[in-house]
Structures are given as C-alpha cells and as structure tokens.
Amino acid sequence: MITAGHLIAGQWRTAGDRFGPVFNPSTGKEQARVPMAGPEEVDEAVAAARAALPGWAETPAVERAQMLFRFREKLVAHAEDLARTVTREHGKTISESRASVQRGIEMVEFACGIPSLLMGQVLPNIASNVDCETVRHPVGVCAGITPFNFPAMVPLWMFPVALACGNTFVLKPSEKVPLSAVRLGELLGECGIPAGVFNIVHGGKECVDALLTHPHVAAISFVGSTAIAKYVYEMGTKHGKRVQAAGGAKNHLIVMPDADLEQTARAIQAAAFGCAGERCMAGSVAVPVGKIADPLVEILCRQASAMSVGPTDNGATVDMGPVISREHRDKVAAYLDVAKNEGATVALDGRGKGGGDGFLIGPSVVDKVAPAMRVAKEEIFGPVLSVVRAGDLEEALSLGRNVPYGNGASIFTRSGYAARQFKHHFNAGMIGINVGVPAPMAWFPFTGWNQSFFGDLHIQGVEGVHFYTRQKTTMTRWFASAAESAQDPIWKTGK
Ligand code: NAD
C-alpha cells in the first residue's frame, strides 16, 4: 500500500503513528494511506520553512521566476500523469482532471511574471530633496490548507505565487486526496527548489490547528467549507496572521424567458453535474423566470438522465464519475428525501445509478423548490440541481439576497437590460452572463462574497501577490554640501 509522505526540509517521510485511509472513489477501495501530522511534525515543517526563508527571500525575483518557468515545464510534461492521479483519488472524469491541471498550470504561468508584478512605486522629489518609494517584501512562512475537490489546482492557486514573492511554504492538503499534492512536491523538487522552501504536512484538524496557532507562520490561505473557513479566519487572525479563507457556495443560474433554451440547458447541465457537482462554482439552483420553466425542466431531465455515470479510473469514458466518499454519497442522496418531505417534486432521481462498489450517484433534478427549503439554501456539493421558479427578474434577483453565500451566479438572456440589472444587483462576487461556471482564470481574483469568503485580499491575480507581500515605504533625503551644489551641472548652468 502506498503511503503519502510528508515533505520536510527536502526529505520525504512516511513514518508516523497514525494514518488515515485514501480511497479510490471509483472502486470504493482503499488505495493508499496518509500519515496524520500533529504539532511536532508541523513544528518541524515550519522550522524548515523558516530556516530556508532568508536565502529564498534574497534570491533575486528573476531567479525565482526562472525556477517557476522550470516548474511550469515539468507540470506540462507530467500533466497527463498528474490528471490521472487527480482522477484516481478524487473520482472526477479524466477530461475534468486535465482541465483542472491546466487551470493550475496557468497559476504558475501567472507567477512567472513576478519580476514585473513585484515592482514598486517611486516619486522623486515628493518634497524638496526628498524621494519616496514603496516596495514589496515577502511576509515570511506561509501555509496553505486545501479541500478535496481540486487536489492539484487549489494547491497551485497558492504556493507558486507565495514562492514567487519570496516566501517559504507549508502545504496541508486535504487528507482525502494527498497523492496529487505529493506529486506536485516531487516535481518541484526535480526543478531544484532549495530544501525547506516548500514543505508538505498531511493531517486533519490537529494539524490545521498547529498551523493556525504557530508563532512562526505569517499567513494562511484556506479553501474549504464555510464553517471551517470561518473558523480558520477567526483562529488565524486571533493569532496575528493574515488570512484569506474561501468557503462554500450555493450558486444561482437565472434563466430569462428570452434565453436560448438548448444552449442554456447544456450550460446548466455542465454547471450542475460537472465534477459530480463537487465544485464551489457548481450551479446548484436553476431559477427559470416565467414560461421557460416547463420546457427547461423537461430538457434538463432528459439530458441528465442520458448521462453515463460510472468509474473513471479504468480508461472508460463516462459523463460523470463518483463523489468523494460513501458517507458523502449517502448525504447527497438523503437530500432528495428532505426535498420530497418539504414538498418539492423530485423530477429526476439519480439514486442507484452507476452500480458497483464506487461512490456513485446519478444526476438529480428537484423541481418546484421554495426558497425557504433546505435544498434551496444548503450547499449539497453533489449532482443535485434544485429548480426555484420565479415570476419575474426582480423575484429572481431577490433570491440572491436571502442566501448566506455569495460565490457565483449566472444569468442566461438575450436582454442587455436584464443582464445589466443582474450584474449590478445580484448579491454574489463572480457573475456569469450566458456562462454557466464563471470561475475566473489565474490573472483575475476569485472574488467570493458574504459567507463564501473571509478576509480582504482574494486568491489569484494581483490580489494574490498583495496577500503574499507586505509593503515598505522609504523616504530619502540627501543634503548637498555647498561645494557639491556648486559642482552640480544643472545648477551651474542655471537650467
Ligand atoms: P473542508 O472544509 O471539510 O476541508 C478543507 C480543509 O480543512 C481540509 O484540508 C481539511 O483537512 C481541513 N479541515 C476539515 N475539518 C477541519 C476542522 N474541524 N478544523 C480544522 N481544519 C479542518 O472542505 P472539503 O469538504 O475538503 O471541500 C469542499 C468544500 O470546499 C465545499 O464547501 C466547497 O464549496 C469548498 N470550496 C470552496 C472554494 C472556493 O474557492 N470558495 C473552492 C473549492 C472548494
């Protein structure tokens, strides 16, 4: 059985006294084990990162960028193998895994521009003989705590930018999917990253708590569910760290009566059932406005029931793979009973689809959902699409005001007015117009709102660079002696 190793000071370690199982969701079988770190291992990893910090922070930004260019080439060369690892431990289809690896590589490409991104500002002669400049310094040892649903991409949202800025890093991947993170660590090691600059510790709450309270961790990046994001934010800031914590979501997809029905239905199908609904940008509530509701639900059910569902690790092509665990599959399935009991109509029931021992469940559509029902409010994080019918645009917009989240939302329409109203007024931080999953790419920030994000500076884009740096402002005054003034060519000629 493979054991995922901790990476501390450039050494891989598989020893430990406690281990957790790593499943292959396609087969339902344990495929590896992961050591669960406690405060001791965390302390060692942070000490290694701290020891490596002065050397790495002083490495010229151009050389740090060259390291990232090498890493980018490694990732491209091993993209297929990395995508297969993602599929084996997460269960998403191989094409979904390939796309997620590509999104991660783009983060490295963004980070390769660090010499330009780090440039400061200067104003000579801000006062007589006084120059002023602001430059960016690394913040120190940074930690990243990541969720199960994007085993390679979400770690790549964090550490390439942090390292490019001159920080050292400790990654704590989801204990459910540690293998992709290990592969990233191996590939970075092959690029010649100095020992201790990038470290990995595996584990759960105990390991996270040790990072959140460690006196030598300066910054925490977190992605996961809202309850834990809030906890991480509160605990981390209480211990003096800067924290960016992205949480869960419940994303609305509004469909106006003038939308292109076929294209919209295809986009909603991909948004709701792509990655088996395990995406923070998954479309989970369709909101058809007016008369388009009946034909939309009809076509969505038809399309979804035709989707093939099965194991993804055996080379077969399926439309949807398993969810992450048996418990999660059962939790997702139970929401269909919750919906029925609350008075909604289960228009398509995906339970029992897929067969085998994997954690499979087919796509489901729940119609005639009222905004107060649990399936309209809670993050299900599985292939269940709730349909809340609205009478007009205003009613559709008001739905956004009453949910705690605020990650993404989309509208499908041919009307510029409706699109503009939606863009301006819907209570979410990432907006799609005729786009089902409006997830920004590496160069733009991932701007969740409300309970979908805790902090100030978001992950990705220039905000990421700002998160991983602190500014220093220098005022300089040089007095000229009388003799120097007399020598100055400008003053001498009086020009
Ligand atoms: P999770 O919150 O259960 O776990 C995330 C991380 O927190 C893991 O590394 C886990 O080990 C750790 N953790 C779990 N329980 C903890 C506790 N009690 N104390 C301290 N640490 C703990 O999330 P998940 O199930 O792995 O991932 C799915 C969630 O992530 C969904 O809610 C999804 O919406 C969210 N997500 C959000 C974004 C975003 O950008 N907003 C992106 C991807 C996923």
Side-chain angles (χ1 to χ4, degrees):
M1 164 113 36
I2 310 165
T3 303
H6 301 304
L7 174 60
I8 299 176
Q11 302 295 317
W12 290 98
R13 271 199 229 166
T14 52
D17 46 16
R18 283 175 307 133
F19 293 87
V22 180
F23 287 95
N24 176 343
S26 288
T27 61
K29 292 202 171 59
E30 196 174 329
Q31 59 169 330
R33 58 179 198 160
V34 59
M36 303 294 277
E40 263 172 42
E41 287 93 343
V42 168
D43 201 37
E44 283 181 60
V46 174
R50 197 162 173 241
L53 184 63
W56 184 247
E58 283 303 312
T59 301
V62 172
E63 288 177 31
R64 296 198 302 257
Q66 285 161 353
M67 174 70 70
L68 287 159
F69 275 109
R70 289 199 290 280
F71 186 42
R72 188 258 176 202
E73 292 310 302
K74 273 274 174 215
L75 289 172
V76 169
H78 291 87
E80 185 61 20
D81 137 46
L82 199 49
R84 286 184 189 285
T85 305
V86 170
T87 284
R88 220 171 33 247
E89 65 179 346
H90 175 275
K92 64 182 78 189
T93 66
I94 189 67
S95 56
E96 290 166 344
S97 292
R98 286 183 188 128
S100 74
V101 168
Q102 178 55 30
R103 295 282 90 79
I105 291 173
E106 285 155 8
M107 280 305 297
V108 183
E109 291 169 353
F110 168 76
C112 285
I114 202 65
S116 306
L117 291 164
L118 273 186
M119 279 183 191
Q121 291 186 307
V122 57
L123 181 61
N125 229 28
I126 192 166
S128 192
N129 288 328
V130 175
D131 302 332
C132 189
E133 66 165 32
T134 299
V135 298
R136 292 191 172 273
H137 284 240
V139 292
V141 176
C142 300
I145 301 159
T146 53
F148 78 79
N149 67 325
F150 283 100
M153 183 187 82
V154 173
L156 288 169
W157 278 1
M158 301 173 181
F159 74 82
V161 181
L163 298 186
C165 291
N167 303 285
T168 54
F169 204 87
V170 179
L171 173 66
K172 204 301 285 174
S174 166
E175 66 278 29
K176 293 176 185 145
V177 292
L179 304 176
S180 306
V182 164
R183 196 69 194 111
L184 293 176
E186 288 169 350
L187 293 175
L188 189 56
E190 288 172 22
C191 298
I193 193 92
V197 170
F198 178 69
N199 307 273
I200 302 175
V201 284
H202 300 287
K205 178 171 170 50
E206 200 186 350
C207 182
V208 171
D209 284 347
L211 286 166
L212 295 178
T213 54
H214 200 292
H216 296 138
V217 172
I220 303 272
S221 299
F222 174 89
V223 175
S225 59
T226 286
I228 311 298
K230 190 161 185 279
Y231 168 75
V232 165
Y233 181 77
E234 287 172 356
M235 187 72 137
T237 51
K238 193 169 145 201
H239 285 83
K241 300 164 200 338
R242 55 173 71 180
V243 180
Q244 51 179 197
K250 189 82 186 172
N251 305 315
H252 293 75
L253 305 165
I254 293 178
V255 186
M256 296 302 287
D258 64 355
D260 180 311
L261 188 60
E262 295 287 329
Q263 281 183 16
T264 302
R266 265 199 303 279
I268 293 181
Q269 180 189 1
F273 307 127
C275 296
E278 291 176 325
R279 281 193 291 208
C280 69
M281 292 297 280
S284 48
V285 185
V287 187
V289 174
K291 62 180 174 24
I292 202 163
D294 283 338
L296 183 72
V297 170
E298 196 270 321
I299 191 169
L300 281 171
C301 288
R302 181 157 37 85
Q303 284 177 178
S305 59
M307 288 174 79
S308 55
V309 177
T312 48
D313 67 333
N314 57 8
T317 307
V318 290
D319 296 320
M320 207 175 83
V323 296
I324 190 67
S325 66
R326 187 168 290 115
E327 299 72 36
H328 189 56
R329 194 239 347 248
D330 295 345
K331 185 176 160 204
V332 171
Y335 267 105
L336 296 170
D337 290 329
V338 169
K340 212 184 278 176
N341 292 339
E342 287 190 318
T345 307
V346 178
L348 178 67
D349 190 333
R351 286 177 289 195
K353 195 162 178 181
D357 294 327
F359 311 138
L360 294 161
I361 179 168
S364 298
V365 178
V366 184
D367 195 9
K368 302 195 175 134
V369 171
M373 291 180 187
R374 284 182 57 196
V375 284
K377 292 192 300 193
E378 296 174 12
E379 182 180 42
I380 299 173
F381 219 55
V384 177
L385 177 68
S386 303
V387 180
V388 177
R389 296 169 177 233
D392 56 23
L393 178 61
E394 183 46 42
E395 191 185 337
L397 293 181
S398 74
L399 290 171
R401 279 179 222 125
N402 300 319
V403 289
Y405 301 107
N407 227 29
S410 293
I411 192 168
F412 295 87
T413 184
R414 288 190 174 94
S415 156
Y417 171 77
R420 188 174 184 282
Q421 286 294 99
F422 175 75
K423 179 168 87 167
H424 197 64
H425 293 293
F426 201 87
N427 186 19
M430 290 174 271
I431 293 293
I433 297 173
N434 299 319
V435 170
V437 183
M441 290 167 69
W443 295 265
F444 286 88
F446 211 89
T447 45
W449 280 13
N450 309 323
Q451 304 276 306
S452 292
F453 183 75
F454 301 88
D456 175 17
L457 296 167
H458 294 89
I459 295 170
Q460 290 197 170
V462 173
E463 281 201 29
V465 175
H466 290 182
F467 180 78
Y468 290 123
T469 51
R470 51 184 171 168
Q471 298 187 80
K472 180 175 276 187
T473 301
T474 305
M475 300 277 278
T476 311
R477 172 184 281 148
W478 293 107
F479 294 99
S481 65
E484 281 169 332
S485 297
Q487 293 299 314
D488 188 293
I490 297 173
W491 294 350
K492 226 160 70 180
T493 57
K495 285 182 186 157

